[in-house]
């Protein structure tokens, strides 16, 4: 409940009207010489509205400070319904949400998975092979087409004897076995030699983008015009130098292994962190303010629209339903409040040594690590960003210490996201 003084309101309005009268322009009067009644008639209502807002806002802030409320969102302030007329004061009612009092959760029954992955020499060799493939050349060869070859073909597709749009091409090149064409198409090419022609049937998948072809059986006539064999560069000092490593192939291998280990560590930490946060959410049962959730939901929707724009897809702001991302927004708010409570009540902080170690780790992948470290540590904003990451990492460590932790090995292929592609 808020009250404001009518006497103070009148004084504010009178003062504002006097200030307004000094500059107000009315037809037939010089600036500042219009009658007071004319100024009041023109601006009085607006000035009184602004004065009431100012006084009510100040009264609200005072009440919030007295009550030590942690306000979420904006208050809904309106004249108090049914309030008796009073010559001295005006009454208003402010309705608002507050953030809940969040306690440190009991994690003893929460389960967290801590992921492990051993980087092997074979993993390093596979990565080097990928690097070689990225720099492969192709030479025309008198051989049957096989996976890894680049083939050049002419083809024509027909549906019920009629050529369909997008089904005909001349001198079309693609790498065999890389998934660039439908499996049935690639299967037909394997084993063919340059100059051969083959006719075969192919059934498009039910979810094929072209609706007129989805699930339909068509016929293709393909002529293989050329087979180019993949030539991989030798894994030698020249290969290393071409990649900017002048100290030879052994140094390149060591650099690749170091970079892979850093990536493996980062991905393991990210997976474990996600498991820890899921465990924290499982015990965070307090209600969250609707205002905070809605604010977070709007931010998520905005980010989604901006990401689509970056991909060349323009969507109107109202194209995403109001309930979209609501669950995600609620989880973010709840998680943020729970983490804040843990940080405050467990006195979790970041040390300069931890911040410096994080900066050093980030800088390792750059050409001039010292420059990167200085960029972080000599700028208060950048350093604060690192400190926030360290605090969150320390919260994860607290969760692992207090929850039930099971270790789970994961293969390098799956960790790097290659297992799903294979």
């Amino acid at each position: 409940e808020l009250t404001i003084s009518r006497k103070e309101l009148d004084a504010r309005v009178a003062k504002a009207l006097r200030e307004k009268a000094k500059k107000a322009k009315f037809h037939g009067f010089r600036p500042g010489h219009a009658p007071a009644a004319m100024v009041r008639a023109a601006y009085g209502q607006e000035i009184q509205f602004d004065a009431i807002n100012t006084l009510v806002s100040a009264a609200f802030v005072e009440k919030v400070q007295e009550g030590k409320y942690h306000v979420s969102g904006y208050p809904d302030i309106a004249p108090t319904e049914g309030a008796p007329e009073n010559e001295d004061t005006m009454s208003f009612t402010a309705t608002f949400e507050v953030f809940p009092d969040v306690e440190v959760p009991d994690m003893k029954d929460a389960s967290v998975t801590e992921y492990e992955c051993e980087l092997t020499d074979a993993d390093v060799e596979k990565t080097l092979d990928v690097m070689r493939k990225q720099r492969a050349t192709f030479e025309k060869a008198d051989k049957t087409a096989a996976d890894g070859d680049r083939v050049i073909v002419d083809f024509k597709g027909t549906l019920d004897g009629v050529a369909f749009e997008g089904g005909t091409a001349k001198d079309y090149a693609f790498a065999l076995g890389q998934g660039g064409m439908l499996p049935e198409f690639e299967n037909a090419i394997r084993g063919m030699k340059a100059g051969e022609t083959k006719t075969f049937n192919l059934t498009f998948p039910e979810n094929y983008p072209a609706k007129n072809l989805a699930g339909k059986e068509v016929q293709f006539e393909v002529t293989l015009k050329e087979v180019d064999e993949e030539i991989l560069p030798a894994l030698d000092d020249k290969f290393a130098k071409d990649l900017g490593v002048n100290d030879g192939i052994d140094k390149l291998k060591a650099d690749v292994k170091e970079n892979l280990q850093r990536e493996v560590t980062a991905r393991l930490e990210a997976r474990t962190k996600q498991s820890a946060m899921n465990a924290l959410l499982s015990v965070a049962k307090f209600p969250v303010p609707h205002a905070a959730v809605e604010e977070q939901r709007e931010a998520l929707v905005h980010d989604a629209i901006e990401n689509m724009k970056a991909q060349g897809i323009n969507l109107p702001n109202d194209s995403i339903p109001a309930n979209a991302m609501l669950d995600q927004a609620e989880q973010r708010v709840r998680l943020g409040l729970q983490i804040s409570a843990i940080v405050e009540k467990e006195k979790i902080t970041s040390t300069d040594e931890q911040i410096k170690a994080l900066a050093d780790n980030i800088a390792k992948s750059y050409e001039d690590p010292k420059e990167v470290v200085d960029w972080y540590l000599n700028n208060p904003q950048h350093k604060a960003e690192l400190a926030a990451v360290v605090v969150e990492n320390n919260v994860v460590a607290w969760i692992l210490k207090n929850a039930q932790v099971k270790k789970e090995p994961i293969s390098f292929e799956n960790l790097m996201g290659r297992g799903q592609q294979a």
Side-chain angles (χ1 to χ4, degrees), residues 104 338-349 391-392 395:
V104 174
Q338 186 66 85
I339 289 174
S340 295
I342 294 172
V343 167
E344 178 185 356
K345 296 172 183 179
E346 294 294 318
K347 296 180 172 53
I348 295 176
T349 60
V391 168
E392 199 167 78
V395 170

Side-chain angles (χ1 to χ4, degrees), residues 297 301-302 305 309 314-324:
R297 188 197 69 81
V301 169
H302 176 269
I305 291 175
K309 286 181 180 178
N314 290 313
L315 294 176
N317 291 336
D318 60 354
S319 61
I320 298 180
N323 62 347

